[in-house]
């Protein structure tokens, strides 16, 4: 263990969870159950007072990705400002149905996240376990995205609106220039221009 003390780790995989609130975490130390409580022993290496919990998240999702989906935690990096940092991500998962133009449905999820971090340990006065914690809950609402092709009629209507708008603006500019030139010519004819 002493040889790998300053090394980091790279994790990937997936978890199957029920559609109820829950959490998962990545924390140092040896974990075990004590009186039906999940406990981590941090004292097996140098007293456990110098854990660096800096991390980067390349991708995390709750279900399959669909076109245009932006996961808020993708490409996230947190650098610990001090030892023994506890990072907590509160995740609100929203069930989503994505239907493409072919009518194929994909049942997946999207999510929003709130981040919180604090320094924990004896010296900070804060209680907690150093590590990265994800606390998630599912929304009772569902979002439905449906791709549609626009019809030729919709395209022609939009094209006519654009052409009509261009002609209207051009007519207003032409009228403003015409009336300005006419008023200047009248002043010149009356000799009121210096």
């Amino acid at each position: 263990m002493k040889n790998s003390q300053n090394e980091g780790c790279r994790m990937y995989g997936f978890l199957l969870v029920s559609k109820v609130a829950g959490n998962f975490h990545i924390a140092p130390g040896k974990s075990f159950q004590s009186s039906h409580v999940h406990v981590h022993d941090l004292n097996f290496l140098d007293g456990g007072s110098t854990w660096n919990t800096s991390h980067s998240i390349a991708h995390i999702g709750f279900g399959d990705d669909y076109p245009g989906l932006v996961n808020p935690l993708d490409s996230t990096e947190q650098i610990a400002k001090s030892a023994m940092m506890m990072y907590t991500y509160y995740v609100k998962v929203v069930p989503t149905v994505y239907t493409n133009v072919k009518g194929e449905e994909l049942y997946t999820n999207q999510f929003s996240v709130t981040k919180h971090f604090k320094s924990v340990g004896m010296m900070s006065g804060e209680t907690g376990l150093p590590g990265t914690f994800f606390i998630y809950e599912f929304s009772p609402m569902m979002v439905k995205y449906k791709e549609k092709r626009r019809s030729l009629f919709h395209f022609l209507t939009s094209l006519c609106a654009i052409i009509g708008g261009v002609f209207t603006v051009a007519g207003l500019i032409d009228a403003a220039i015409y009336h300005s030139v006419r008023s200047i010519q009248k002043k010149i004819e009356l000799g009121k221009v210096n």
Side-chain angles (χ1 to χ4, degrees):
M1 286 299 251
K2 295 254 186 216
N3 294 340
S4 62
Q5 181 175 354
N6 294 321
E7 292 183 11
C9 61
R10 181 173 295 222
M11 300 180 66
Y12 62 93
F14 64 92
L15 299 171
L16 294 176
V17 297
S18 300
K19 288 191 176 186
V20 294
N23 72 76
F24 60 93
H25 62 271
I26 301 160
K30 180 181 177 185
S31 66
F32 58 92
Q33 297 284 338
S34 176
S35 302
H36 302 292
V37 176
H38 182 79
V39 180
H40 283 251
D41 179 14
L42 300 178
N43 293 321
F44 72 96
L45 247 178
D46 75 4
S49 61
T50 60
W51 293 106
N52 181 349
T53 55
S54 297
H55 60 276
S56 62
I57 301 171
H59 173 75
I60 189 168
F62 289 83
D64 296 328
D65 290 348
Y66 58 87
L69 175 66
V70 177
N71 289 322
L73 287 177
D74 287 358
S75 303
T76 297
E77 185 174 274
Q78 295 291 330
I79 305 298
K81 303 277 190 255
S82 64
M84 304 289 282
M85 292 294 290
M86 178 180 185
Y87 294 93
T88 308
Y89 296 95
Y90 297 97
V91 181
K92 183 73 165 186
V93 183
V94 181
T96 303
V97 178
Y98 172 79
T99 308
N100 64 15
V101 291
K102 297 176 186 173
E104 299 166 341
E105 289 186 337
L106 172 65
Y107 289 86
T108 185
N109 299 288
Q110 57 184 318
F111 64 95
S112 62
V113 65
T114 302
K115 301 179 213 178
H116 178 73
F117 59 91
K118 65 180 180 178
S119 181
V120 295
M122 299 277 203
M123 303 305 254
S124 68
E126 292 282 343
T127 58
L129 177 66
T132 304
F133 296 79
F134 298 88
I135 300 170
Y136 60 89
E137 66 177 14
F138 284 85
S139 171
M141 308 288 252
M142 177 181 274
V143 173
K144 292 186 177 187
Y145 285 117
K146 188 171 186 175
E147 272 187 359
K148 290 184 183 178
R149 289 186 198 251
R150 298 239 165 107
S151 66
L152 180 62
F153 179 72
H154 184 272
F155 171 73
L156 293 175
T157 304
S158 298
L159 185 64
C160 289
I162 291 169
I163 292 170
V166 168
F167 275 108
T168 302
V169 170
L172 290 172
I173 292 171
D174 179 57
I177 292 172
Y178 174 77
H179 289 297
S180 298
V181 169
R182 285 277 292 175
S183 70
I184 291 171
Q185 283 178 343
K186 281 187 180 180
K187 287 183 180 182
I188 290 173
E189 289 173 4
L190 294 175
K192 292 186 177 180
V193 177
N194 293 339

